Amino acid sequence: MSISNMSFLGRIGYLLQRYGTSYLKGAGTTLVIALVSTAIGCLIGFVVGVVQTIPVDKKRDSAVKRGLLKVVKVILKAYVELFRGTPMIVQAVFIYYGLSQVFNIQLGMWSAAFLVVSINTGAYMAESVRGGIISVDPGQMEGAKAIGMTHVQAMKNVILPQAIRNIMPQIGNNLIINIKDTSVLSVISIVDLFFVHKSVAGALYTYFESATIVMAIYLTMTLVTSRLLLLVEKKMDGDANYELVDTMDIGNQLRTAREHDGEGRRG
Amino acid sequence: MSEKELILKVSHLQKSFGNHAVLNDIDFEVHKGDVVSIIGASGSGKSTMLRCINLLEEPGGGEILFHGQDITDAKVNVPAYRAKVGMVFQNFNLFNNMTVLENCIVGQVKVAKKKPEEARISAVRYLRQVGMEPFLNAKPRQLSGGQKQRVAIARALAMEPEVLLFDEPTSALDPQMVGEVLSVMEDLAKQGLTMLVVTHEMAFARDVSTHVIYMSEGVIEEEGTPAQIFGAPRSEKTKEFLARFRNTAV
């Protein structure tokens, strides 16, 4: 039976039978790029966000340190604005072909994909991290300073652990956005889920059927991801209850002591 | 008072926020074992002064001598200085990401570089002292205000500070919880801890402290022993201020 005579479901069945593994491989590629790039992007975002929130002490910091910090902050701000303010699909082309033409660096497709999505995510995460840090109660930093912590110690031990919890929903958002937006990487010939769809649909003129399959796969990936992230958040919040430390021992000791006292008095 | 070792000497301390002068020419001394209460209306600069002493606010002028060294000097290692001057805040500022025990350990390990086991032992000791030992594993959000403040005191004590600053430690508490915190502070005073307490608790200022400073509009209006300030205030402003408090059951 030729494909043009099949029903809608029949065509979907046919596509799955014939190209099922290609779809799955595409989905795997999508997932790997999204996961790795979100992780690297978060790292970039944390570094940028933390540097941007370093306070300047006009009195105690040397002029060199202040000047250097200012230059670094301007550069980082420019990075954030550039990659937040342009479409990722253009960034992909710009970086992939730009590196090869201007700097004669031939990036593999995979490296290019990781690079583009990571620095794009990093730009967004930088702002999320900065927001997460600012949203931690200023009293936490004061409490840390008051027991003698330096800015770095306070960030590491007190502020960032709380900021990370605050921005977990943002990290999740970025991961889900990346699962979907890696589809634009087909412009640099990454064989992701969307690329598979385009090939299959173009070859057999089954745009609607293939899109239905791909929609379902994307939705499954994002739903599973968001559920998993909720679990992680719950885990981070820890137990709502706590155990009172067993003070029986102390209590017993006190009681024995009291009994001794009582006997002493009676005797 | 003068034979005891001089710990803090504040002279000509000034501070303004923009054009608004908050502190003007503040002078006073704190000797070892003193319990100094700083009283005054809200907005009189009490808290700002306390925050200047551990440099949470940058003083605008004047000197703060800690064992003779001016800590407003740019070369002073501020974190190292703060480790010796503890602070208890109105809003507790316990680390929300840590348990009660961890709150009392982290400074000892990270700042004072003590061994974790040693830090744990002393944390438990100070928590026992403030009656919070059973709550070692609780998170701050699971505690009442009074309990949080007692943990905050234990955390400050665990750093073994030479002076402990209290910034209105009972102002954010329900009336029932004020007592439990004040009694801890009273114990500390009896043990000879040097304390500087900004407070609205007139009974504490009168009965526990060794020295009282009354501030008004950014200046020290009057200072002296509790007996003198509460019994025979010289300044009209002090009299007026204390009269208002006398009505609210001391």
Side-chain angles (χ1 to χ4, degrees):
Chain A
M1 188 161 74
S2 119
I3 192 160
S4 52
N5 301 330
M6 292 178 189
S7 69
F8 174 68
L9 286 177
R11 284 182 202 164
I12 286 185
Y14 177 77
L15 288 184
L16 283 177
Q17 201 181 10
R18 184 144 170 220
Y19 299 106
T21 39
S22 302
Y23 281 123
L24 282 182
K25 270 189 195 158
T29 303
T30 290
L31 214 49
V32 167
I33 295 176
L35 280 171
V36 173
S37 305
T38 307
I40 300 174
C42 283
L43 268 175
I44 297 174
F46 267 97
V47 172
V48 176
V50 166
V51 170
Q52 279 178 331
T53 49
I54 296 176
V56 177
D57 188 336
K58 280 196 184 122
K59 187 167 160 188
R60 292 176 187 82
D61 291 343
S62 67
V64 178
K65 186 184 165 191
R66 274 184 287 145
L68 203 66
L69 196 60
K70 188 153 193 184
V71 171
V72 171
K73 279 184 182 178
V74 167
I75 293 172
L76 293 180
K77 188 79 196 149
Y79 154 70
V80 170
E81 295 295 355
L82 177 65
F83 284 93
R84 236 179 18 159
T86 52
M88 192 160 78
I89 190 165
V90 185
Q91 290 166 14
V93 177
F94 183 79
I95 290 176
Y96 185 60
Y97 294 101
L99 282 180
S100 105
Q101 267 180 33
V102 182
F103 299 101
N104 208 18
I105 301 171
Q106 308 295 339
L107 270 188
M109 271 172 337
W110 280 90
S111 325
F114 287 133
L115 184 68
V116 171
V117 184
S118 297
I119 53 181
N120 185 278
T121 309
Y124 279 95
M125 280 307 297
E127 283 300 284
S128 298
V129 171
R130 198 172 66 86
I133 291 170
I134 293 171
S135 71
V136 174
D137 169 20
Q140 296 286 306
M141 181 54 102
E142 292 200 338
K145 280 181 175 172
I147 57 170
M149 285 195 191
T150 61
H151 178 76
V152 174
Q153 287 173 329
M155 280 309 249
K156 212 176 108 200
N157 297 295
V158 179
I159 308 297
L160 282 180
Q162 296 181 51
I164 289 173
R165 174 63 192 89
N166 288 349
I167 62 174
M168 265 312 284
Q170 283 298 322
I171 294 176
N173 246 343
N174 270 304
L175 181 53
I176 285 171
I177 288 173
N178 281 343
I179 289 174
K180 297 180 299 170
D181 283 8
T182 44
S183 57
V184 306
L185 293 174
S186 54
V187 293
I188 54 170
S189 306
I190 283 283
V191 187
D192 72 331
L193 185 54
F194 185 68
F195 192 95
V196 174
H197 157 74
K198 273 207 308 191
S199 315
V200 171
L204 301 174
Y205 293 103
T206 49
Y207 285 95
F208 182 44
E209 292 78 3
S210 179
T212 307
I213 294 170
V214 172
M215 286 279 277
I217 299 177
Y218 272 119
L219 191 62
T220 309
M221 290 196 288
T222 52
L223 281 180
V224 170
T225 306
S226 72
R227 287 295 167 281
L228 285 177
L229 285 164
L230 274 181
L231 280 181
V232 173
E233 282 185 38
K234 230 175 179 175
K235 181 108 188 162
M236 284 176 96
D237 285 340
D239 205 335
N241 303 310
Y242 60 92
E243 299 268 325
L244 282 183
V245 171
D246 187 7
T247 46
M248 278 289 278
D249 252 4
I250 302 166
N252 282 336
Q253 285 165 22
L254 285 176
R255 206 170 307 130
T256 330
R258 233 179 289 130
E259 278 160 13
H260 271 291
D261 275 3
E263 276 163 21
R265 243 174 270 135
R266 245 177 279 134
Chain B
M1 177 161 164
S2 50
E3 12 3 309
K4 286 182 288 180
E5 187 191 351
L6 181 65
I7 294 183
L8 265 174
K9 182 176 163 65
V10 176
S11 54
H12 307 299
L13 177 64
Q14 272 172 351
K15 172 76 186 172
S16 354
F17 292 118
N19 292 328
H20 176 58
V22 191
L23 295 177
N24 224 327
D25 213 19
I26 301 282
D27 284 294
F28 69 94
E29 294 181 353
V30 179
H31 294 79
K32 197 168 166 53
D34 283 355
V35 178
V36 180
S37 286
I38 302 155
I39 59 174
S42 296
S44 57
K46 312 179 296 285
S47 288
T48 307
M49 186 191 80
L50 204 70
R51 290 166 58 83
C52 279
I53 290 176
N54 73 350
L55 298 173
L56 284 177
E57 296 290 350
E58 191 65 53
E63 287 183 332
I64 299 171
L65 300 174
F66 182 70
H67 293 297
Q69 188 192 19
D70 184 9
I71 51 105
T72 63
D73 190 282
K75 287 185 213 79
V76 167
N77 179 345
V78 177
Y81 162 69
R82 286 199 187 113
K84 293 180 221 160
V85 179
M87 176 107 166
V88 173
F89 298 86
Q90 182 176 348
N91 293 314
F92 331 121
N93 295 347
L94 289 180
F95 305 136
N96 293 327
N97 56 320
M98 301 178 194
T99 63
V100 164
L101 183 64
E102 288 164 346
N103 261 280
C104 298
I105 287 179
V106 65
Q108 298 186 67
V109 173
K110 303 287 175 187
V111 178
K113 309 289 177 201
K114 279 203 220 165
K115 289 197 191 86
E117 199 38 47
E118 211 179 305
R120 196 189 139 86
I121 291 168
S122 95
V124 171
R125 193 174 66 232
Y126 286 112
L127 283 168
R128 184 178 304 164
Q129 186 178 343
V130 299
M132 286 301 290
E133 192 195 10
F135 298 89
L136 293 182
N137 298 325
K139 284 279 181 81
R141 66 186 144 93
Q142 295 159 329
L143 303 177
S144 74
Q147 291 174 326
K148 281 186 207 174
Q149 196 59 297
R150 287 188 281 150
V151 173
I153 292 173
R155 175 178 74 179
L157 290 174
M159 296 303 291
E160 287 161 7
E162 290 185 45
V163 191
L164 194 46
L165 312 177
F166 291 83
D167 187 8
E168 302 196 23
T170 57
S171 295
L173 299 178
D174 288 342
Q176 312 96 286
M177 294 171 185
V178 170
E180 67 188 58
V181 171
L182 286 181
S183 81
V184 166
M185 291 169 62
E186 206 175 325
D187 284 346
L188 295 176
K190 277 184 197 143
Q191 288 165 25
L193 182 70
T194 311
M195 294 157 69
L196 209 53
V197 187
V198 169
T199 187
H200 291 294
E201 295 296 329
M202 292 304 134
F204 180 88
R206 186 189 58 200
D207 303 335
V208 181
S209 45
T210 58
H211 198 73
V212 178
I213 293 176
Y214 169 66
M215 282 182 73
S216 171
E217 290 163 27
V219 296
I220 293 182
E221 181 70 25
E222 186 167 353
E223 63 174 309
T225 62
Q228 187 251 304
I229 296 283
F230 286 92
R234 280 185 288 261
S235 149
E236 281 306 315
K237 280 185 182 170
T238 317
K239 278 180 202 163
E240 209 180 300
F241 175 76
L242 290 174
R244 243 177 295 150
F245 268 99
R246 213 154 283 142
N247 301 332
T248 57
V250 173

